[in-house]
Amino acid sequence: MFEAPAEGKELASVTKHVFVTGGVVSSLGKGLTSASIGMLLESRGLRVKMQKLDPYINVDPGTMSPYQHGEVYVLDDGSETDLDLGHYERFTSTPLTRRSNYTTGQIYLSVINKERRGEFLGNTVQVIPHITNEIKEVVKQLADADTDIVITEIGGTVGDIESLPFLEAIRQIPLEVGRENCLFIHLTLVPYLKAAGELKTKPTQHSVGILRQIGIQPDVLVCRTERGLDVSDREKIALFCNVPLDCVIEERDKDFSIYEVPLSLQSNRIDEIVLRRFGLQAGAADLEEWHELLHRLRNPEHEISIALVGKYAGHRDAYKSIYEAIDHGGIAHKTQVRVQPIKSEDIEREGAERLLAGFDGLIVPGGFGERGVEGKVEAIRFARERGLPFLGICLGMQCAVIDFARNVAGLADAHSTEFNRDTPHPVICLMEEQQGVIHKGGTMRLGAQPCGLTGGSRSAAAYGTAAISERHRHRYEFNPRYRERLEEAGLVIAGTSPDGTLVEIVELVDHPWFVAVQFHPEFKSKPTAAHPLFAGLVAAAVERHAGSAWVAEA
Ligand code: GLN
């Protein structure tokens, strides 16, 4: 048995590596599990870095449809990454950079560029060793004197052709850094078969079998299951998979909240197992904040509903960070928030009145392409006219400007040149730096940009500061030529780039809460620290729900 940890901690003399793989099926929640383990280790004082390796060939997910791959998560440094990195940032304080997410495409691109430069002159360039060496390098580069543990999650499912080079590379890493400095965690599914009335361990055995054929003996199995595993199930898995019994860990589905995952993993002592394996000593976990947030989630004092009007209704992963950030706003105000996704095309067909009446708030998220844009503009018009608390994000902000220009400033047919090149009033236009850009990958205005807030604005009050930094991902912007006219008509410019040229936030004064931003606040919200704009929206929605009637000034 593992002994109780001593007070204080002993830092790792060599950086340790934890590898997380998954088998049986995809969507097991490897990202969430990896993030939770990272969070538990951090809570015990260890310095953790996190990384995801994705087997697809796109250089990054920036060119993929959110339908297929979920949202593109943007980091401060402008890299467009997998949405699991959002879990990493929400659960841990590990600094993420473009070195935190690699794809097969990126690895091959780098190797092929080296080949063209002549770095392998005289050699045949092959998957082993050239591709696998490149993969090992991207993992090992995160190991430095400031890092106790690097957690590397391998995307995809064991047994896929695409994952093989990654698995081969992590098989080799223990040979270089020492087996005692590496820990392999494998997630599997233990399904319940109704007809047999029992849990089935065979898929787990097969999945571990494939890993062992590759040469990886997992040290820990995290078994995802709908029902609890009993000791005999765990004994069977331990025996057949060659893993100690206490390293067969159950991770039950969470009906209530994903924020329960770290606590349930901790009750199964996963942090202890990692520390024991590496011979590390660490203080007790400080999970006070986490318990508090779950307490708040369980004991809401208010209940509200918010409409999310976008292109991909019903596809939660497409707006993953927005759903999360709304929850955070709810946690901050002890409010249970029901989010109803609504297809913007449905608004075009059925009208905003019919679909939005009864909601306490509206969010229009980012997006690309013309489909459904008029429905978004219509939804925002409804929110503006009826005093419905509103948060517009990126394309949502651009649509707010279009509505205001058309319906308040009297600029008939105002539009974004993304959707109508010949509009008489291009209130949203291509940014100057984007003129002439042809390549689609990684060429938008991306990543953290500074923004100055206008004193007295709602945003300045919400942030409680005059200078902020937020993450961007767009090609179009508020057309500065229309600034004066729209301001005269009552639009408040609440935030601009520090030189004042780019409009980043617009607001309305005569409205309970109407804030629209060119950036993506959802990427910087945490369960323990809600983003001020999401918290602000929820607060306004709670007030509206409580019945404070709002009447537009005549
Ligand atoms: N399509 C718009 C642009 O490129 C908005 C992008 C977004 O919402 N992320 O500017």
Side-chain angles (χ1 to χ4, degrees):
M1 263 316 277
F2 187 81
E3 284 166 34
E7 269 308 300
K9 56 166 183 150
E10 208 169 280
L11 296 185
S13 51
V14 199
T15 302
K16 315 292 183 185
H17 289 275
V18 172
F19 298 103
V20 182
T21 56
V24 183
V25 290
S26 59
S27 308
L28 280 178
K30 283 197 302 289
L32 210 47
T33 302
S34 305
S36 301
I37 295 169
M39 176 269 201
L40 289 174
L41 296 173
E42 268 192 353
S43 76
R44 302 194 60 169
L46 292 158
R47 300 161 307 167
V48 175
K49 282 214 183 109
M50 308 214 43
Q51 176 183 55
K52 177 156 192 213
L53 307 181
D54 275 308
Y56 52 77
I57 295 175
N58 304 58
V59 170
D60 61 44
T63 54
M64 272 189 257
S65 154
Y67 244 135
Q68 285 194 19
H69 196 259
E71 81 178 359
V72 176
Y73 189 81
V74 181
L75 303 181
D76 271 344
D77 70 4
S79 37
E80 298 174 277
T81 71
D82 185 79
L83 53 75
D84 277 331
L85 276 80
H87 291 309
Y88 301 172
E89 281 204 329
R90 287 186 283 272
F91 281 64
T92 74
S93 58
T94 174
L96 298 184
T97 69
R98 56 183 74 252
R99 302 198 306 172
S100 313
N101 191 196
Y102 287 89
T103 67
T104 293
Q106 238 171 301
I107 299 286
Y108 272 77
L109 190 63
S110 166
V111 171
I112 291 170
N113 283 335
K114 285 182 184 167
E115 186 273 337
R116 291 290 83 183
R117 287 199 298 271
E119 289 184 28
F120 308 119
L121 231 42
N123 286 313
T124 308
V125 180
Q126 294 176 302
V127 174
I128 304 174
H130 299 95
I131 296 296
T132 46
N133 281 352
E134 186 77 19
I135 297 171
K136 284 192 286 182
E137 283 317 307
V138 305
V139 174
K140 288 191 299 179
Q141 67 177 348
L142 293 190
D144 58 26
D146 299 324
T147 310
D148 298 315
I149 299 185
V150 175
I151 300 177
T152 302
E153 175 192 347
I154 312 293
T157 308
V158 164
D160 295 346
I161 290 179
E162 286 89 346
S163 337
L164 272 175
F166 291 106
L167 296 173
E168 169 59 16
I170 64 169
R171 177 193 71 78
Q172 294 175 18
I173 287 179
L175 296 173
E176 296 179 18
V177 305
R179 182 66 176 92
E180 70 284 5
N181 295 318
C182 297
L183 180 85
F184 290 94
I185 299 179
H186 188 57
L187 259 81
T188 70
L189 177 72
V190 180
Y192 177 77
L193 273 203
K194 251 202 210 128
E198 57 184 26
L199 289 167
K200 288 294 178 189
T201 65
K202 193 70 81 186
T204 297
Q205 295 174 37
H206 281 302
S207 178
V208 172
I210 298 172
L211 262 187
R212 292 173 70 192
Q213 271 174 26
I214 295 167
I216 296 173
Q217 167 63 55
D219 301 297
V220 179
L221 294 176
V222 175
C223 301
R224 299 284 290 106
T225 165
E226 263 177 77
R227 312 199 168 204
L229 299 177
D230 58 31
V231 179
S232 67
D233 296 318
R234 291 179 49 230
E235 279 172 351
K236 197 165 164 190
I237 293 171
L239 181 67
F240 283 94
C241 298
N242 196 30
V243 168
L245 183 61
D246 71 337
C247 293
V248 178
I249 287 179
E250 163 194 304
E251 190 184 322
R252 291 268 288 271
D253 291 355
K254 300 287 173 291
D255 301 327
F256 179 64
S257 165
I258 58 167
Y259 299 128
E260 291 175 289
V261 173
L263 299 180
S264 92
L265 284 170
Q266 197 216 17
S267 67
N268 287 320
R269 302 169 69 82
I270 200 157
D271 49 334
E272 295 291 350
I273 291 171
V274 176
L275 292 173
R276 177 181 65 193
R277 169 54 183 255
F278 293 144
L280 295 174
Q281 308 260 299
D286 177 6
L287 298 173
E288 180 85 24
E289 262 191 327
W290 215 261
H291 283 290
E292 167 64 18
L293 84 84
L294 278 165
H295 177 77
R296 283 170 165 262
L297 271 174
R298 286 205 180 92
N299 301 285
E301 289 168 8
H302 319 279
E303 210 183 312
I304 56 163
S305 58
I306 285 185
L308 177 67
V309 174
K311 187 151 97 177
Y312 304 108
H315 193 66
R316 276 183 78 99
D317 275 0
Y319 304 116
K320 183 89 195 155
S321 294
I322 291 185
Y323 278 98
E324 294 285 314
I326 295 170
D327 278 352
H328 306 161
I331 291 169
H333 291 287
K334 292 201 167 163
T335 300
Q336 186 175 341
V337 189
R338 194 175 59 80
V339 183
Q340 177 67 49
I342 297 173
K343 254 193 185 163
S344 48
E345 284 170 295
D346 290 345
I347 301 230
E348 290 169 11
R349 258 191 309 271
E350 298 180 43
E353 174 79 49
R354 202 174 120 75
L355 295 182
L356 295 181
F359 283 99
D360 306 308
L362 168 70
I363 292 184
V364 177
F368 297 83
E370 196 182 356
R371 184 154 58 86
V373 162
E374 291 304 328
K376 293 176 191 175
V377 174
E378 203 40 46
I380 295 167
R381 176 184 187 158
F382 178 87
R384 177 176 54 75
E385 291 177 348
R386 304 297 182 86
L388 181 65
F390 165 69
L391 176 60
I393 296 174
C394 209
L395 181 59
M397 177 266 204
Q398 297 174 356
C399 288
V401 173
I402 293 168
D403 161 56
F404 190 88
R406 286 181 189 170
N407 303 315
V408 180
L411 304 174
D413 297 322
H415 219 321
S416 162
T417 53
E418 180 178 2
F419 312 122
N420 178 2
R421 275 170 201 241
D422 306 319
T423 169
H425 296 294
V427 286
I428 303 292
C429 62
L430 197 62
M431 305 180 71
E432 216 173 282
E433 66 189 44
Q434 289 288 328
Q435 319 271 354
V437 171
I438 298 167
H439 279 205
K440 293 285 184 227
T443 55
M444 284 186 247
R445 180 179 182 228
L446 287 166
Q449 308 285 344
C451 170
L453 302 179
T454 309
S457 66
R458 205 162 260 144
S459 300
Y463 280 96
T465 171
I468 58 166
S469 166
E470 292 281 5
R471 297 178 189 172
H472 292 245
R473 183 171 186 255
H474 60 114
R475 293 187 202 282
Y476 293 80
E477 63 161 334
F478 184 113
N479 186 342
R481 287 199 290 121
Y482 282 88
R483 184 163 166 176
E484 230 176 275
R485 278 176 88 169
L486 296 181
E487 277 184 292
E488 270 164 22
L491 192 68
V492 175
I493 307 298
T496 64
S497 54
D499 65 2
T501 56
L502 299 176
V503 172
E504 312 283 33
I505 308 179
V506 300
E507 294 180 3
L508 293 181
V509 176
D510 180 25
H511 192 285
W513 176 270
F514 190 104
V515 178
V517 297
Q518 182 57 77
F519 47 81
H520 289 272
E522 70 273 22
F523 295 144
K524 289 184 72 172
S525 190
K526 287 189 161 218
T528 49
H531 189 287
L533 296 184
F534 283 90
L537 175 76
V538 169
V542 167
E543 238 176 78
R544 179 184 173 90
H545 190 87
S548 57
W550 177 85
V551 186
E553 270 173 31

